[in-house]
Amino acid sequence: MPFMPLMGRKFTILAVALSSCHLTSAVRPPSRLLQQFGHNINWLQLAYAITFSCTLLALVWLCRKSHSQSQSPGKLMAFCYCFGEFVSAACYSLLILDSYDFAVAIRKDTAYSGMMLGVFFLGTCVSEVILWLAMRKSWITLQSGKAIFVAASIFLVVGSIMETASSLTLRTVGLTAWLPSFVNCSRFVQGLGLGFLNQVSFALLEKFLPQSERGEWMERSYFAFQIGLGMGPLLSACFDLPATQVTENVLAIGVHSMILSTGLLLGVLLYFPSMHDLHDGSKRDSLKEASSKLNGERDIQRRVRILVGSLFATIGRGLVVSSTEVAIAFLLEENFNWDGRSIGLCAACAFMSSLPLQVLVSSVRSQLTLTNWIRTLSLMASFGCGFLTEHATAVAGGYSLVAGAMLIISTLYLADSMCAGLLVQNLLPKNYFLNAENTSILLYLTMDFVGRFVAVWLARWFMKFGQNAFAFVMQALCYSFLITFEIMIRPNISDFEGLVQPPPVV
């Protein structure tokens, strides 16, 4: 079996296997004897943990199989990056459903529950800046790529252990003065791991993969992160315990975060290729460009416009996706009296809707060019904004909001991943400002700060003017995404569009 299709199917297999774990919600001890013997054991969590562990073992087996069938260490490195993105996103989103109940359990308010989630990305930004400075000063080089991956995995493991310890402390000792700060520290440490992955992987993709393959692996990383965001709440929904038992929920969340992050650590230790086995793909590309592409100042200007346009497109996508998520949660709670768990699951389904869309796009990817795919997906996102209006909710209720969120998030995220693929294919050499390291820090700080911080406040502010006004603003932002692509990106890729295509079947 070819390497690329096998690597692409891993995320589909993982998503299906983890989703099937919901069947364990019906698991009960098979006999009265077992019930008497294990009355203090949560058999649901035990059965789920076993199934979940088997899924990770299956993923490791697939990784081993693909490694034996491929002679490309660069692709295996790229897959480790994608799996790291999935694990990091899942560790972040596992706590979403129970964040408010856990904040109440430690006698904090709603603002603390939001801080508990947001501090994860604060850690991400801090570690991205630290690693960027270290690489800029040449204190750390790409030859330490595997060590940085291992360090990122260890941060995720340690943060998960701290998260588990906090719930155990609350259950056994009770509330202590230091516990709220300890919980935030655990989330911050987990975020440090994601930041290290983001910053070093961008440069590794640029250096050790041929230009023709960088785009599709960048798209895969976006897809893996999006699936992780959706998978977390679905996993935590398996532990549907009352709010009075929230410590049990958080304990289970911590355990599953440890399983995920430990699986990532083992995968990196066992299968991340040695840096001596990785071949410099950028040298091959420079020789190819010298004979087949535009060189000199004109080519630099073309690349700069693509890079700047892709960064602005990411800002637009971040504003739309995060604002839609926050506004939908607010409207479902205030106007339709949905409970927090149902809202969280709907948000998870909105992100998971990217899975069937990705399969659909991949199956017919040859029917459209990359330009037309981005146009089509952007227009579909703007069409989805119509489901957010008051007229739509008057007809279909809260389900109209859910349908709109699914359409907007899945289509615009995929369109932005294609733009990110173009970005990573047009990075400038190291002696220019928009090289791999600088573009990476700009891209991820843009996503983490604008997409996940500023957008939350803007969404609340837009909602003051009414639901229809918010829907109009979201539609305008979707059109601005498309206009940015048409003005800054499309004119500069027309001669090279054959180099990048939507990703293969996942």
Side-chain angles (χ1 to χ4, degrees):
M1 185 180 296
F3 181 85
M4 290 298 291
L6 179 63
M7 299 298 276
R9 292 191 183 97
K10 285 187 178 66
F11 293 110
T12 304
I13 294 172
L14 181 65
V16 172
L18 292 180
S19 299
S20 67
C21 292
H22 289 279
L23 296 176
T24 59
S25 61
V27 171
R28 294 293 183 269
S31 67
R32 184 174 300 178
L33 177 63
L34 285 178
Q35 289 179 356
Q36 294 175 354
F37 176 75
H39 66 280
N40 290 326
I41 299 177
N42 191 320
W43 289 94
L44 167 60
Q45 295 182 10
L46 179 61
Y48 179 76
I50 293 173
T51 309
F52 188 72
S53 301
C54 292
T55 301
L56 285 181
L57 289 175
L59 184 67
V60 172
W61 176 80
L62 283 171
C63 189
R64 183 181 181 87
K65 184 178 179 181
S66 64
H67 182 260
S68 64
Q69 295 179 354
S70 172
Q71 301 299 322
S72 176
K75 293 177 181 178
L76 189 59
M77 175 272 297
F79 172 73
C80 289
Y81 167 48
C82 293
F83 185 48
E85 290 287 303
F86 169 81
V87 171
S88 303
C91 288
Y92 161 75
S93 60
L94 272 167
L95 193 61
I96 288 178
L97 295 187
D98 295 289
S99 60
Y100 176 74
D101 291 334
F102 190 66
V104 172
I106 57 179
R107 300 176 185 175
K108 294 293 182 178
D109 56 8
T110 307
Y112 177 84
S113 67
M115 181 192 304
M116 189 164 50
L117 296 174
V119 75
F120 183 98
F121 289 107
L122 175 62
T124 301
C125 293
V126 169
S127 59
E128 286 171 350
V129 172
I130 291 175
L131 190 57
W132 171 72
L133 287 173
M135 296 177 71
R136 187 176 177 84
K137 298 292 185 179
S138 299
W139 298 334
I140 297 177
T141 65
L142 290 182
Q143 294 303 315
S144 305
K146 183 172 183 177
I148 296 173
F149 264 71
V150 172
S153 305
I154 291 175
F155 275 121
L156 289 169
V157 172
V158 171
S160 301
I161 294 174
M162 293 171 65
E163 192 174 41
T164 305
S166 64
S167 60
L168 285 173
T169 301
L170 184 61
R171 189 177 68 170
T172 57
V173 180
L175 181 61
T176 60
W178 52 267
L179 187 59
S181 299
F182 187 76
V183 174
N184 280 337
C185 286
S186 69
R187 302 288 292 172
F188 181 85
V189 170
Q190 287 180 315
L192 291 175
L194 175 60
F196 281 145
L197 283 175
N198 285 344
Q199 186 61 27
V200 71
S201 298
F202 205 89
L204 288 174
L205 290 178
E206 189 267 342
K207 185 171 181 62
F208 296 114
L209 283 181
Q211 186 183 30
S212 59
E213 297 178 3
R214 294 171 198 162
E216 81 180 25
W217 279 106
M218 194 66 183
E219 293 165 15
R220 287 181 188 277
S221 71
Y222 271 57
F223 174 67
F225 191 83
Q226 190 177 5
I227 292 297
L229 287 177
M231 189 63 68
L234 293 181
L235 294 179
S236 60
C238 290
F239 307 96
D240 194 7
L241 300 177
T244 54
Q245 302 183 37
V246 67
T247 54
E248 300 290 338
N249 283 354
V250 177
L251 176 61
I253 288 169
V255 170
H256 283 77
S257 296
M258 283 194 296
I259 294 174
L260 276 170
S261 52
T262 303
L264 174 63
L265 178 60
L266 291 176
V268 171
L269 289 173
L270 293 175
Y271 301 117
F272 194 95
S274 170
M275 302 307 295
H276 299 290
D277 297 333
L278 293 171
H279 304 289
D280 194 342
S282 60
K283 292 181 179 179
R284 297 193 302 268
D285 292 332
S286 62
L287 293 175
K288 191 182 300 183
E289 288 175 2
S291 59
S292 63
K293 293 184 180 179
L294 295 176
N295 290 300
E297 193 65 26
R298 183 180 176 186
D299 186 43
I300 295 298
Q301 293 176 358
R302 177 188 68 83
R303 290 173 179 250
V304 167
R305 286 191 288 268
I306 292 177
L307 293 172
V308 174
S310 299
L311 290 173
F312 276 108
T314 297
I315 293 176
R317 188 268 302 168
L319 288 173
V320 173
V321 170
S322 297
S323 298
T324 299
E325 186 180 3
V326 171
I328 294 305
F330 174 79
L331 291 172
L332 290 176
E333 182 179 4
E334 294 294 324
N335 297 355
F336 300 97
N337 298 319
W338 286 29
D339 62 276
R341 184 167 291 272
S342 299
I343 295 173
L345 288 176
C346 288
C349 290
F351 282 100
M352 290 297 292
S353 62
S354 64
L355 182 59
L357 178 65
Q358 186 87 1
V359 173
L360 176 62
V361 170
S362 298
S363 63
V364 294
R365 65 183 184 273
S366 60
Q367 304 302 314
L368 294 175
T369 62
L370 178 69
T371 296
N372 287 331
W373 273 118
I374 295 177
R375 288 169 175 166
T376 302
L377 292 169
S378 303
L379 292 174
M380 289 175 64
S382 64
F383 174 76
C385 295
F387 290 94
L388 309 182
T389 61
E390 294 179 356
H391 177 73
T393 54
V395 175
Y399 296 104
S400 173
L401 298 175
V402 176
M406 293 175 66
L407 189 58
I408 293 171
I409 291 175
S410 61
T411 55
L412 202 59
Y413 221 109
L414 182 55
D416 185 44
S417 73
M418 294 178 180
C419 291
L422 289 170
L423 179 144
V424 78
Q425 285 187 319
N426 289 277
L427 295 170
L428 296 181
K430 196 172 182 62
N431 56 324
Y432 288 87
F433 175 74
L434 290 177
N435 55 27
E437 291 82 4
N438 293 339
T439 305
S440 175
I441 193 70
L442 288 173
L443 177 68
Y444 287 114
L445 287 182
T446 295
M447 288 195 293
D448 294 334
F449 181 74
V450 176
R452 300 184 179 105
F453 180 74
V454 175
V456 176
W457 300 99
L458 288 178
R460 294 288 187 178
W461 185 74
F462 288 144
M463 289 302 297
K464 293 181 180 180
F465 301 97
Q467 185 176 335
N468 287 339
F470 173 80
F472 175 77
V473 171
M474 292 300 102
Q475 191 170 48
L477 287 174
C478 289
Y479 283 131
S480 69
F481 178 93
L482 180 58
I483 291 172
T484 300
F485 171 75
E486 292 289 349
I487 293 178
M488 302 190 68
I489 302 177
R490 187 196 62 78
N492 299 293
I493 65 171
S494 57
D495 295 334
F496 308 97
E497 194 168 14
L499 293 174
V500 280
Q501 290 292 335
V505 177
V506 291

